[in-house]
Amino acid sequence: MTAMSTSTSSTDLQALLGADADALLGYTAKAFPSEHLTLPGPDYLDRVFTDSDRNPTVLRNLGTLFNHGRLGGTGYVSILPVDQGIEHSAAASFSKNPAYFDPLNIIELALAGECNAVATTLGTLGLASRKYVHRIPFIVKLNHNAFLHVPNTYDQIMFGSVSQAFDLGAVGVGATIYFGSDDMDRELQQVTDAFAEAHQLGMFTVLWCYLRNSAFTKDGVNYEVSADLTGQANHLGVTIEADIIKQKQPENNGGYTAVGFGRTDPLVYDELTTDNPIDLTRWQVVNCYAGRIGLINSGGESKGDSDLAQAVRTAVINKRAGGMGLIVGRKAFQRPMAEGAALIHSVQDVYLDQEVTVA
């Protein structure tokens, strides 16, 4: 595999976006104007959290996150997440690059990529804490889907406690809720309690707001990534005081109407969104208290040579929609470390590029 550049110029960006370059970079949002949003920026914490109920230690730890790494001071974040060894099995996750069976290499990649933080398991950070806790902010992912049942089940259970995360020096905790799943109510209550405890101890909170229910697939279309359903998941996430929302970027819309459940409004589809991916992602931002809580999109699975172009495209859409950053894992760690770090840098370049503006 050819090594990637450590920076992405405007020319590179055009090339990576290909036929979509003009449509994405020149698009003006038509559905929900940016002036109605709270947007990322160097003063984001002052504008949003100083009037909140978050205590001074939470604010300090949020400041640690936002001021670390290559995007430090911009209001945007780049996080390396590696919990896929549980969610997708260690073999499926790390066989392409067995170096990452050694968890310390996960931290080294986050450092090489100059990320704002690393989000990974209690086991990984527990082994790495004394060596790395002063070098990069830690986010402990508290719950996981064990994925070792026959047949497969999707049930987030706690693998660690908030107090353990606090003891190893974490600045934040993360958790997943599978909205729409049979276990959603239990997960929602459990994560709500964990987030309240984390805030009491001074740690910020990150929620993976994922949809999971086979009923969300209708006529061969998976509406787990629809703008309307993911938007509502985001709204539930900010309601339990997630400080950052992690969400898959939408690929379609109309999950409510296609599946035929819940409540929505025709205005969502007629006036407040369009089919453009920037407008669809903006609907996710709108449902994060109109951007007061930051939206970071996930980078998705690794597909090989197209990873760089896909990650940069996702970053452009997220930034232009009013999002706060990208959380890239498999696309980075399933390749040699230097190439993984370069890919992360290329994503960061989108957020550093003043010519890539909010639509």
Side-chain angles (χ1 to χ4, degrees), residues 90-102:
S93 299
F94 301 133
S95 291
K96 292 181 177 62
N97 191 358
Y100 290 99
F101 278 103
D102 182 343

Side-chain angles (χ1 to χ4, degrees), residues 68-69 107-108 111 115 129 131-138:
H68 188 84
I107 316 298
E108 291 290 346
L111 288 168
C115 294
S129 177
K131 183 174 182 179
Y132 293 103
V133 72
H134 57 294
R135 298 178 62 190
I136 187 167
F138 286 178

Side-chain angles (χ1 to χ4, degrees), residues 174-241:
T176 298
I177 295 175
Y178 282 153
F179 289 100
S181 71
D182 291 340
D183 294 294
M184 178 186 74
D185 290 348
R186 192 260 309 155
E187 293 173 11
L188 184 59
Q189 293 166 350
Q190 198 169 41
V191 173
T192 297
D193 291 342
F195 280 9
E197 183 182 356
H199 280 153
Q200 289 171 354
L201 291 173
M203 293 177 287
F204 62 80
T205 58
V206 185
L207 187 63
W208 279 241
C209 283
Y210 288 166
L211 278 292
R212 187 75 80 229
N213 192 319
S214 60
F216 290 150
T217 297
K218 188 76 171 178
D219 299 327
V221 179
N222 181 10
Y223 290 100
E224 290 177 344
V225 287
S226 68
D228 55 351
L229 296 188
T230 56
Q232 179 60 17
N234 290 357
H235 189 75
L236 295 175
V238 297
T239 300
I240 64 170
E241 292 202 329

Side-chain angles (χ1 to χ4, degrees), residues 71-349:
L71 295 184
T74 66
Y76 292 103
V77 295
S78 165
I79 299 172
L80 176 71
V82 187
D83 65 344
Q84 291 87 348
I86 301 173
E87 303 284 342
H88 303 282
S89 93
S93 299
F94 301 133
S95 291
K96 292 181 177 62
N97 191 358
Y100 290 99
F101 278 103
D102 182 343
L104 269 61
N105 284 327
I106 293 170
I107 316 298
E108 291 290 346
L109 175 59
L111 288 168
E114 300 175 272
C115 294
N116 295 73
V118 58
T120 186
T121 64
L122 177 68
T124 292
L125 294 177
L127 281 174
S129 177
R130 294 183 186 277
K131 183 174 182 179
Y132 293 103
V133 72
H134 57 294
R135 298 178 62 190
I136 187 167
F138 286 178
I139 301 170
V140 178
K141 182 66 162 46
L142 294 174
N143 67 355
H144 309 281
N145 176 39
F147 209 62
L148 198 59
H149 297 92
V150 181
N152 293 336
T153 60
Y154 297 93
D155 179 7
Q156 291 286 329
I157 59 173
M158 288 292 179
F159 273 58
S161 68
V162 173
S163 61
Q164 287 174 302
F166 177 79
D167 287 342
L168 61 78
V171 297
V173 299
T176 298
I177 295 175
Y178 282 153
F179 289 100
S181 71
D182 291 340
D183 294 294
M184 178 186 74
D185 290 348
R186 192 260 309 155
E187 293 173 11
L188 184 59
Q189 293 166 350
Q190 198 169 41
V191 173
T192 297
D193 291 342
F195 280 9
E197 183 182 356
H199 280 153
Q200 289 171 354
L201 291 173
M203 293 177 287
F204 62 80
T205 58
V206 185
L207 187 63
W208 279 241
C209 283
Y210 288 166
L211 278 292
R212 187 75 80 229
N213 192 319
S214 60
F216 290 150
T217 297
K218 188 76 171 178
D219 299 327
V221 179
N222 181 10
Y223 290 100
E224 290 177 344
V225 287
S226 68
D228 55 351
L229 296 188
T230 56
Q232 179 60 17
N234 290 357
H235 189 75
L236 295 175
V238 297
T239 300
I240 64 170
E241 292 202 329
D243 299 317
I244 297 173
I245 295 292
K246 176 180 183 271
Q247 182 60 269
K248 297 177 182 179
Q249 206 161 74
E251 298 176 11
N252 52 54
N253 205 1
Y256 275 119
T257 54
V259 178
F261 82 113
R263 292 185 178 183
T264 186
D265 191 291
L267 290 172
V268 173
Y269 315 102
D270 297 340
E271 296 184 18
L272 297 174
T273 63
T274 71
D275 291 336
N276 187 283
I278 294 171
D279 283 328
L280 294 179
T281 303
R282 177 155 294 177
W283 188 244
Q284 292 183 337
V285 175
V286 169
N287 279 277
C288 292
Y289 287 156
R292 289 186 181 274
I293 300 299
L295 170 74
I296 55 177
N297 286 129
S298 54
E301 66 179 306
S302 175
K303 296 183 178 179
D305 291 340
S306 65
D307 282 352
L308 176 59
Q310 289 175 346
V312 166
R313 183 181 190 275
T314 303
V316 168
I317 293 169
N318 172 271
K319 183 180 182 182
R320 300 216 68 222
M324 184 170 278
L326 216 58
I327 186 163
V328 177
R330 283 169 287 177
K331 283 180 168 59
F333 70 72
Q334 290 185 343
R335 62 186 69 240
M337 187 175 294
E339 292 185 10
L343 185 147
I344 293 170
H345 283 162
S346 293
V347 167
Q348 293 165 355
D349 287 340

